[in-house]
Structures are given as structure tokens and as C-alpha cells.
């Protein structure tokens, strides 16, 4: 088993505008969900990515075509509770509510675990 370095939380700013460029209006919010999952999978290296209900509400808040241009996300790599799970780790993505996402860098968040 890997050490304690395998469980980590980071805050990212994801530019959804460039990832949704040219996507049909009626497919923008569903594609945004897929793109966020793809982003988390790439940056955390886990196959299993779960989105918080608050994040889903944030994406869909302005309807199917009014997806936010950029979003601040906290992605946590966590251990799976089930014994017989295929993957020992999963990523949990939740929104971070900030006044403005401009100029924010990726940061490692200290967990109070």
C-alpha cells in the first residue's frame, strides 16, 4: 500500500469556456460534467471520480446552456470504504465559492483528518 501521500486535496481553477467552445447549447451542462470528470481523472490519476451535489447545482444553476466560464474546484483523492472495490482510491470534486476565480493558482489544501 502507498504511503500517506496518496490522500491529498488540491484547489484548481478549471476553464470551462475553452472546454465547451463550439458545443451545442443543449449539450453544454452535460459536457461540462464530463469535462470536470476528465480533468479530475487526469490530475488525480484515479478512474473513479465522484461529483458533489453542490457542484452539479452550481453547473446547472443558469440552465443547460449558461455554464460558468471558469470554476474553482477542490479535488480530494480519498480512500474507498468498500473492501471489494476495484480501485483503492477515488476523487471527490466539490465547488469552492470565491468572489473571483481570476489569477488564483493551484493550491494544496491541508485536510483536518
Amino acid at each position: 500500500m502507498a504511503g500517506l501521500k496518496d490522500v491529498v486535496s488540491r484547489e484548481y481553477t478549471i476553464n470551462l469556456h475553452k472546454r465547451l467552445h463550439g458545443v451545442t447549447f443543449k449539450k453544454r451542462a452535460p459536457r461540462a460534467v464530463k469535462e470536470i470528470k476528465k480533468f479530475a481523472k487526469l490530475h488525480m490519476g484515479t478512474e473513479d471520480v465522484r461529483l458533489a451535489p453542490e457542484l452539479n447545482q452550481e453547473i446547472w444553476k443558469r440552465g443547460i446552456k449558461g455554464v460558468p466560464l471558469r470554476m474553482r474546484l477542490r479535488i480530494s483523492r480519498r480512500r474507498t470504504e468498500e473492501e471489494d472495490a476495484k480501485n483503492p482510491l477515488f476523487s471527490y470534486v466539490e465547488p469552492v465559492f470565491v468572489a473571483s476565480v481570476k489569477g488564483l493558482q493551484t493550491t494544496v489544501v491541508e485536510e483536518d483528518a
Side-chain angles (χ1 to χ4, degrees), residues 3 11 18-19 26 32 34 39 46 54 59 62 68-69 71 75 80 82 86-88 92-94 102 106 108-109:
E11 284 189 5
K18 75 174 184 187
R19 287 172 171 84
K26 293 294 184 184
K34 288 185 189 105
F39 181 87
T46 58
E54 304 85 57
I59 294 168
R62 295 187 300 190
L69 301 184
M71 288 185 87
I75 308 177
T80 311
E82 301 103 45
K86 282 194 314 235
N87 308 322
Y92 189 68
V93 187
E94 44 202 346
K102 291 212 171 146
T106 297
V108 177
V109 181

Side-chain angles (χ1 to χ4, degrees), residues 60-110:
W60 285 85
K61 189 165 64 178
R62 295 187 300 190
I64 200 164
K65 56 188 181 178
V67 178
L69 301 184
R70 283 187 181 81
M71 288 185 87
R72 190 74 175 162
L73 306 174
R74 177 175 292 134
I75 308 177
S76 317
R77 195 185 307 137
R78 300 181 179 178
R79 282 201 184 83
T80 311
E81 298 300 318
E82 301 103 45
E83 315 298 79
D84 57 344
K86 282 194 314 235
N87 308 322
L89 299 169
F90 70 93
S91 297
Y92 189 68
V93 187
E94 44 202 346
V96 178
F97 299 102
V98 289
S100 170
V101 292
K102 291 212 171 146
L104 294 176
Q105 300 297 314
T106 297
T107 56
V108 177
V109 181
E110 294 305 317

Side-chain angles (χ1 to χ4, degrees), residues 16 31 35 93:
L16 289 169
R31 174 70 76 85
E35 290 292 335
V93 187

